Amino acid sequence: LSELEALMERMKRLQEDKEDEEASQEEMATRFEKEKKESLLVISGGICAFPIPFSFDDEIVSTDVSRYIEDPGFGYKDFARRGEDHLPTFRAQDYTWENHGFSLVNRLYSDIGHLLDEKFRMVYNLTYNTMATHEDVDTTTLRRALFNYVHCMYGIRYDDYDYGEVNQLLERSLKVYIKTVTCYPERTTKRMYDSYWRQFKHSEKVHVNLLLMEARMQAELLYALRAITRHLT
């Protein structure tokens, strides 16, 4: 099967399995922990056998990027330390954007919560109901997997989501691309962009990028707003 046909087959199989039997809460928790740990092994440009904390000291920042930043040492670092057994988890049910973050942002800056929420919803729900040459395709499962995988990389877990779907729908090469775009955007190249989902339209692949960046922004906001909430209370 081609990459596209294989992906559509996995989506169909996931839907059938979900209708037949749902995973238990314990199984879903285990799958999340596995996916979270594996996300630490993903580094831009390849898959590593163990997590390597990223530092700009290990790589020269390109001139095109460095002239726009004041601190060349500022960059993404994984939320857990190398070799750590018990990785921290942010349970989304304890602090969600809809029930907590949205209202706090509006208190701090009038109406900004509405604008952010509209932006998140628009990008998440954006679809032509197509996958390359196939029409009338429900891409909800795939969009949810992309969004939740980004949050998983940031240690955020949704109790009602089966992270086994992430592992089945997102191939390892795509996970490398996702982490690069989300965590090290300055490393993203056209070659990387061209190498995944070759049969998809550019508009569909651009939507993936939009979805990844909005997921990252919401993850960052959840951590920041939860810290503010704790400070205020």
Side-chain angles (χ1 to χ4, degrees):
L1 291 176
S2 68
E3 182 184 30
L4 172 62
E5 299 297 336
L7 177 57
M8 294 190 65
E9 182 62 30
R10 290 196 297 271
M11 290 173 61
K12 180 181 178 182
R13 189 166 60 246
L14 273 176
Q15 188 60 40
E16 292 173 349
D17 292 344
K18 188 179 296 185
E19 292 173 356
D20 292 339
E21 183 179 358
E22 290 189 3
S24 66
Q25 282 294 320
E26 183 178 355
E27 288 174 323
M28 290 197 290
T30 300
R31 290 170 184 174
F32 168 77
E33 291 298 325
K34 179 181 178 181
E35 198 64 49
K36 181 173 64 173
K37 288 181 179 180
E38 288 184 354
S39 73
L40 294 176
L41 310 183
V42 178
I43 61 174
S44 63
I47 302 289
C48 190
F50 50 86
I52 300 177
F54 173 74
S55 170
F56 271 104
D57 296 335
D58 302 328
E59 180 175 296
I60 298 175
V61 182
S62 67
T63 304
D64 290 338
V65 175
S66 61
R67 61 181 168 178
Y68 296 116
I69 57 179
E70 296 179 0
D71 181 9
F74 181 81
Y76 170 85
K77 290 187 179 181
D78 285 318
F79 66 90
R81 294 174 180 165
R82 177 177 172 180
E84 193 172 342
D85 292 330
H86 302 288
L87 306 181
T89 295
F90 183 133
R91 294 183 70 253
Q93 276 65 22
D94 296 336
Y95 198 93
T96 66
W97 164 254
E98 292 80 7
N99 297 331
H100 305 90
F102 172 79
S103 58
L104 177 59
V105 164
N106 270 340
R107 282 174 51 197
L108 299 174
Y109 194 143
S110 180
D111 291 333
I112 193 66
H114 293 286
L115 296 174
L116 287 170
D117 190 63
E118 182 181 358
K119 186 161 71 87
F120 291 147
R121 291 178 184 275
M122 179 180 67
V123 171
Y124 186 86
N125 295 320
L126 182 63
T127 180
Y128 300 125
N129 293 312
T130 64
M131 288 182 68
T133 57
H134 296 266
E135 298 182 351
D136 297 323
V137 180
D138 184 357
T139 61
T140 302
T141 304
L142 185 57
R143 285 181 279 124
R144 184 169 58 238
L146 289 164
F147 192 93
N148 285 358
Y149 180 64
V150 173
H151 280 205
C152 178
M153 290 194 304
Y154 282 81
I156 300 175
R157 181 197 169 201
Y158 294 88
D159 292 345
D160 59 350
Y161 181 70
D162 183 359
Y163 287 84
E165 294 186 10
V166 167
N167 213 33
Q168 293 188 56
L169 295 178
L170 309 183
E171 296 181 351
R172 302 186 85 185
S173 59
L174 178 55
K175 289 180 179 179
V176 172
Y177 179 79
I178 291 172
K179 187 159 188 177
T180 304
V181 170
T182 306
C183 305
Y184 319 116
E186 74 285 349
R187 295 184 181 183
T188 309
T189 64
K190 186 176 185 302
R191 182 179 179 182
M192 294 178 63
Y193 171 84
D194 291 337
S195 65
Y196 85 97
W197 287 359
R198 294 176 183 272
Q199 296 168 292
F200 281 68
K201 300 173 185 176
H202 283 299
S203 59
E204 294 169 322
K205 296 175 74 169
V206 168
H207 179 212
V208 170
N209 285 8
L210 292 174
L211 193 60
L212 299 182
M213 298 313 293
E214 291 303 319
R216 168 189 164 172
M217 184 177 190
Q218 189 177 111
E220 293 171 337
L221 278 173
L222 285 173
Y223 274 103
L225 295 172
R226 184 181 67 169
I228 294 174
T229 299
R230 288 176 174 176
H231 175 72
L232 294 176
T233 56

